[in-house]
Amino acid sequence: GSVEDLTAGLVQPDGSITPVFIPSARSYVMPITEAELARSQFADSETSAEGLIALYQRCVHLGCRVPWCQPSQGFECPCHCSKYDSVGEYFAGPAPRNLDRFGVEVIDGNLVIKTGTIVETARATDRVVEYPQGPSCIGIVAEEVPAEE
């Protein structure tokens, strides 16, 4: 789609993000600022164009589709509770690394998601964006460990 149309609804008036899901590309289109990009693991890659990135919908733990959680402003896998921030960087859970990204480019004002170019990276060590920004969409139930006598 056009960069103009995609960016129009990504950032809400309150500053929150609502991603655009592209089913044919199996990806979420997300905004990223120049400052966030410069601090991320993707500053030197071809995974951003005109302030947009495309995150693969698949959890890197076991391949479940990871939905967006509006209250927390991140991606939260309902299968095993892996969590990622809005730029796909690992936050919690059993996932071994960040969400994968697709290569992107802008041609004639349209964002092209290169689904054949998957970029994998290790878990982020520094936070690029604030996460979580609100309550989680998935509940984590901790097992009770009996007290030793």
Side-chain angles (χ1 to χ4, degrees):
S2 77
V3 170
E4 185 177 324
D5 290 345
L6 290 169
T7 57
L10 285 174
V11 180
Q12 305 307 306
D14 66 0
S16 67
I17 296 169
T18 301
V20 175
F21 181 66
I22 310 293
S24 59
R26 301 175 323 275
S27 63
Y28 293 96
V29 174
M30 302 297 293
I32 190 165
T33 66
E34 287 296 322
E36 292 165 348
L37 187 61
R39 292 191 319 268
S40 77
Q41 295 174 318
F42 301 94
D44 296 326
S45 71
E46 295 181 16
T47 60
S48 69
E50 295 194 29
L52 299 174
I53 59 174
L55 300 173
Y56 195 0
Q57 71 176 3
R58 185 178 59 87
C59 181
V60 298
H61 176 232
L62 292 178
C64 302
R65 180 170 181 246
V66 183
W68 174 253
C69 176
Q70 193 67 26
S72 73
Q73 290 287 284
F75 296 93
E76 299 181 1
C77 185
C79 300
H80 298 101
C81 302
S82 290
K83 295 180 180 184
Y84 311 88
D85 64 24
S86 65
V87 294
E89 292 181 329
Y90 170 85
F91 181 77
R97 62 182 190 275
N98 299 329
L99 284 176
D100 295 336
R101 290 187 188 186
F102 290 118
V104 294
E105 67 178 319
V106 174
I107 300 174
D108 296 329
N110 292 308
L111 183 71
V112 175
I113 301 171
K114 301 176 186 179
T115 57
T117 305
I118 299 174
V119 177
E120 299 177 2
T121 58
R123 288 181 176 178
T125 55
D126 297 320
R127 301 262 42 98
V128 173
V129 296
E130 181 185 341
Y131 177 80
Q133 295 182 21
S136 175
C137 292
I138 56 175
I140 299 175
V141 179
E143 285 186 31
E144 282 191 34
V145 179
E148 292 185 29
E149 293 182 23

